[in-house]
Amino acid sequence: MTAPENLVPSSNPAQEGPVRVRFAPSPTGSLHVGGGRTALFNWLFAHGEARRQGKDGAFVLRIEDTDQKRFVQDATQGIFDALGWFGLTWDEGPDRGGPYGPYTQSERTTLYREHADRLIAQGQAYRCFCTPERLERVREEQRARKQPPGYDRHCRNLSATEVEENLTAGKSFVVRFATPLEGETRIVDLLRGEIVYQNENLEDLVLLKSDGFPTYHLANVVDDHLMAITHIMRGDEWISTAPLHVLLYGAFGWEVPALAHMPLILAPGGGKLSKRHGSTAMEEFRAQGYLPEALMNYLALLGWSFDGQTEIFSPEDLLEKFTLERVSPSPATFDYAKLRWFNAHYINHVLTLDDLAARVVPFLAAAGLVDSGASDPGHTDYPLVRDAAALLKDRLETLADAPDLMRSFLQDELEPYDPTLLVPKKLGVLETLDALVAVERVLDDGLDVADEVATEARLRGLAEELGLKAGQLFMPIRVAVTGRTQSPGLFETLRVTGTVRCRERIAAAIALLRDHGDETLTAD
Ligand code: GLU
């Protein structure tokens, strides 16, 4: 006869009553996009799907900072900032409080100790006095015998007297869970269905470390229960510990929340997405000029789809359409080019011009091109930023592209450029010089570049008068005014640059070409 199954309550997806989910990052560094995607799905489930069904969907933010060795100062603030920038709002959390606080695990250590004691008293956990040296020896022996590594349960059967003696001797200990040695444990993952684990393959997990701090497992289970979490939606990497958590819930006599492990995010060529493939932290994408709504749209589609076709979803659309049921358990591949495509789409087709202008300003200000107040519509630079943004938005893939592309519109003087760029194909230096002098004269005669139609007519006429093809005249003008051979349409570029600056830049180009011509002639 097989051993009795562990009678643990199964996950209950058809939860009645309020839905409560949590995002529970550990402050060990910057928030990874994978974490951002998990947070997003939790938020969409609580604030979207659950609320649409008339259930109170609460999204809880809990900081899991009990691993003192991996703790990084300021990481918690970084997580708040990244999530806030991303556009997620949490209903309860360390910074907001709430009925189930505190929401930072290091402030809840007494609770975890009490729960560990409770399991010891029930005979479902035990103190383990094994030294790190002994544990290493056991591991080595296991390696030598080609056995899987794991604790050999040496302290599981210590007598009460032995335990007392060790405690009196002041030996340090951890508390381990006494995992059932036989039988099986089932988990029900909402995306994957039922998974059955053989208990004999499970370890006696450490619940409390020798410093009195809980491990992730104990703290996570205790908090999910005490915070009344109904659905645990977390990264795929935790699925292997889910049976142990399910056993822990059973040991406490608690119902297991519904479980859903989000699909893995793979790197472009396969494998885990890591720094060597490109940016992985939410804050890096922010610094690189990605829009939070474009990143949100992109990350939502890493694992979820609405109809397998629609690609563009605003945050509001996502809240309206997201269902957990349509999240696939299969790994999703992170595609940087696709993310750029989404970002360019949002810049070009979704943001209003005022919004775009306001969002490029921090990037322009960091490059010293405007002051940071220029995002205010009342600021003197604002109209110029807005006009330049209108001209260039279809070339911007990220906001960080703005300084380079918009520089010529915002600086009084152009950056130095190569004078030979002024000279078009099949034209000599002197002819180019004559052409620019003629353009200067036209401007002096009162051509106002604010009128694009009149400017175009006048300059086309001038090309004819000079016996040049239009392009042969337009290229030197373009280079003189922007410092580069490519720009948006010439006449709109001239309009946004303004007559005064155009005139100054044509004059500067003439001077540059004269010097250059002198050198060329001398060299000849
Ligand atoms: N603190 C864990 C992490 O950062 C949370 C895992 C979970 O959501 O259960 O991945």
Side-chain angles (χ1 to χ4, degrees):
M1 217 184 90
T2 51
E5 251 177 43
N6 263 293
L7 293 176
V8 286
S10 62
S11 307
N12 176 13
Q15 193 82 35
E16 289 301 320
V19 162
R20 292 177 56 80
V21 300
R22 86 306 193 267
F23 178 56
S26 302
T28 53
S30 314
L31 184 61
H32 190 278
V33 274
R37 201 269 321 257
T38 298
L40 173 63
F41 283 3
N42 272 284
W43 178 73
L44 291 174
F45 182 62
H47 286 192
E49 186 169 8
R51 290 189 181 176
R52 288 198 313 268
Q53 292 170 2
K55 295 174 185 166
D56 257 355
F59 176 50
V60 176
L61 178 60
R62 181 172 76 222
I63 297 296
E64 300 205 328
D65 61 343
T66 58
D67 191 345
Q68 299 289 297
K69 284 195 217 96
R70 295 176 61 218
F71 181 77
V72 174
Q73 201 68 40
D74 302 332
T76 300
Q77 188 56 47
I79 290 168
F80 294 160
D81 293 347
L83 292 175
W85 167 78
F86 195 32
L88 306 191
T89 44
W90 46 101
D91 307 290
E92 298 164 33
D95 54 336
R96 304 199 48 150
Y100 298 91
Y103 293 89
T104 300
Q105 289 189 328
S106 58
E107 295 167 25
R108 301 169 63 86
T109 48
T110 317
L111 268 173
Y112 310 129
R113 274 194 285 267
E114 284 166 8
H115 280 83
D117 287 344
R118 181 168 145 192
L119 291 184
I120 295 176
Q122 289 172 202
Q124 285 173 297
Y126 60 94
R127 294 188 181 83
C128 165
F129 297 93
C130 291
T131 59
E133 294 73 32
R134 178 174 187 280
L135 295 176
E136 184 47 41
R137 224 171 34 243
V138 171
R139 264 195 295 272
E140 268 179 18
E141 284 166 15
Q142 286 165 334
R143 260 198 297 271
R145 279 189 256 121
K146 301 216 169 5
Q147 287 173 338
Y151 180 55
D152 64 356
R153 302 193 159 109
H154 179 260
C155 293
R156 182 159 167 154
N157 296 313
L158 292 184
S159 67
T161 328
E162 284 170 306
V163 170
E164 259 335 294
E165 278 169 12
N166 283 337
L167 289 177
T168 317
K171 286 195 186 165
S172 95
F173 63 87
V174 301
V175 176
R176 286 184 187 270
F177 184 53
T179 308
L181 302 175
E182 308 176 301
E184 52 189 36
T185 300
R186 293 156 196 273
I187 68 164
V188 181
D189 182 276
L190 296 183
L191 308 182
R192 294 167 180 77
E194 188 179 75
I195 308 175
V196 179
Y197 294 82
Q198 299 306 315
N199 291 342
E200 61 187 335
N201 298 330
L202 303 177
E203 275 212 75
D204 281 3
L205 271 191
V206 175
L207 301 178
L208 212 58
K209 294 175 277 188
S210 54
D211 60 3
F213 271 75
T215 55
Y216 153 71
H217 310 287
L218 177 66
N220 189 270
V221 166
V222 167
D223 283 350
D224 281 345
H225 176 72
L226 294 182
M227 294 182 179
I229 298 303
T230 58
H231 295 72
I232 296 176
M233 295 165 58
R234 65 179 160 207
D236 170 273
E237 67 271 27
W238 299 107
I239 200 158
S240 59
T241 47
L244 291 156
H245 291 193
V246 165
L247 287 168
L248 262 178
Y249 280 98
F252 284 120
W254 296 336
E255 188 177 348
V256 188
L259 291 171
H261 292 86
M262 300 300 114
L264 204 66
I265 298 182
L266 296 178
K272 205 172 169 241
L273 182 69
S274 72
K275 281 200 181 20
R276 75 198 156 82
H277 303 106
S279 306
T280 55
M282 298 289 283
E283 64 189 29
E284 288 176 279
F285 289 103
R286 178 184 190 172
Q288 287 164 7
Y290 285 91
L291 307 178
E293 50 273 70
L295 184 62
M296 183 182 286
N297 192 154
Y298 178 67
L299 289 183
L301 297 176
L302 276 187
W304 173 80
S305 80
F306 176 59
D307 54 9
Q309 285 180 354
T310 316
E311 289 200 302
I312 302 301
F313 295 94
S314 66
E316 296 72 31
D317 292 336
L318 291 172
L319 285 168
E320 214 169 275
K321 300 202 163 76
F322 179 87
T323 51
L324 184 56
E325 189 192 64
R326 290 201 57 91
V327 174
S328 152
S330 318
T333 302
F334 197 92
D335 180 345
Y336 287 94
K338 186 85 192 189
L339 171 60
R340 270 185 102 75
W341 178 87
F342 272 100
N343 209 55
H345 176 86
Y346 272 77
I347 288 178
N348 214 355
H349 301 294
V350 179
L351 293 191
T352 63
L353 211 46
D354 284 316
D355 197 356
L356 176 60
R359 296 208 215 189
V360 292
V361 163
F363 291 83
L364 299 175
L369 294 171
V370 295
D371 71 55
S372 54
S375 55
D376 178 348
H379 192 281
T380 45
D381 286 346
Y382 183 81
L384 188 53
V385 171
R386 192 178 184 281
D387 286 348
L391 227 53
L392 288 157
K393 69 183 181 125
D394 59 354
R395 288 166 191 241
L396 291 177
E397 288 189 334
T398 70
L399 300 176
D401 294 336
D404 182 48
L405 289 174
M406 291 169 66
R407 186 178 297 279
S408 74
F409 296 101
L410 302 169
Q411 281 175 319
D412 287 333
E413 276 179 44
L414 292 181
E415 308 270 304
Y417 60 89
D418 174 2
T420 60
L421 296 179
L422 289 162
V423 184
K425 281 195 198 104
K426 296 190 188 154
L427 218 62
V429 173
L430 294 178
E431 288 162 296
T432 308
L433 206 44
D434 287 345
L436 285 172
V437 170
V439 174
E440 189 181 35
R441 201 171 314 119
V442 164
L443 285 166
D444 287 343
D445 287 346
L447 175 67
D448 181 0
V449 295
D451 183 343
E452 281 181 41
V453 177
T455 305
E456 176 166 3
R458 184 68 196 91
L459 293 179
R460 283 190 189 279
L462 180 65
E464 241 170 72
E465 287 161 30
L466 296 170
L468 299 176
K469 290 202 184 101
Q472 289 178 312
L473 178 63
F474 294 171
M475 181 54 84
I477 301 177
R478 183 189 309 280
V479 174
V481 171
T482 65
R484 48 179 78 197
T485 52
Q486 288 189 334
S487 75
L490 179 63
F491 307 105
E492 47 188 1
T493 299
L494 298 181
R495 170 177 57 75
V496 174
T497 307
T499 304
V500 175
R501 271 194 182 154
C502 285
R503 165 78 181 69
E504 286 166 4
R505 289 180 186 180
I506 298 286
I510 291 169
L512 196 63
L513 216 46
R514 282 204 174 115
D515 289 349
H516 175 69
D518 285 350
E519 278 168 33
T520 322
L521 295 177
T522 326
D524 286 351

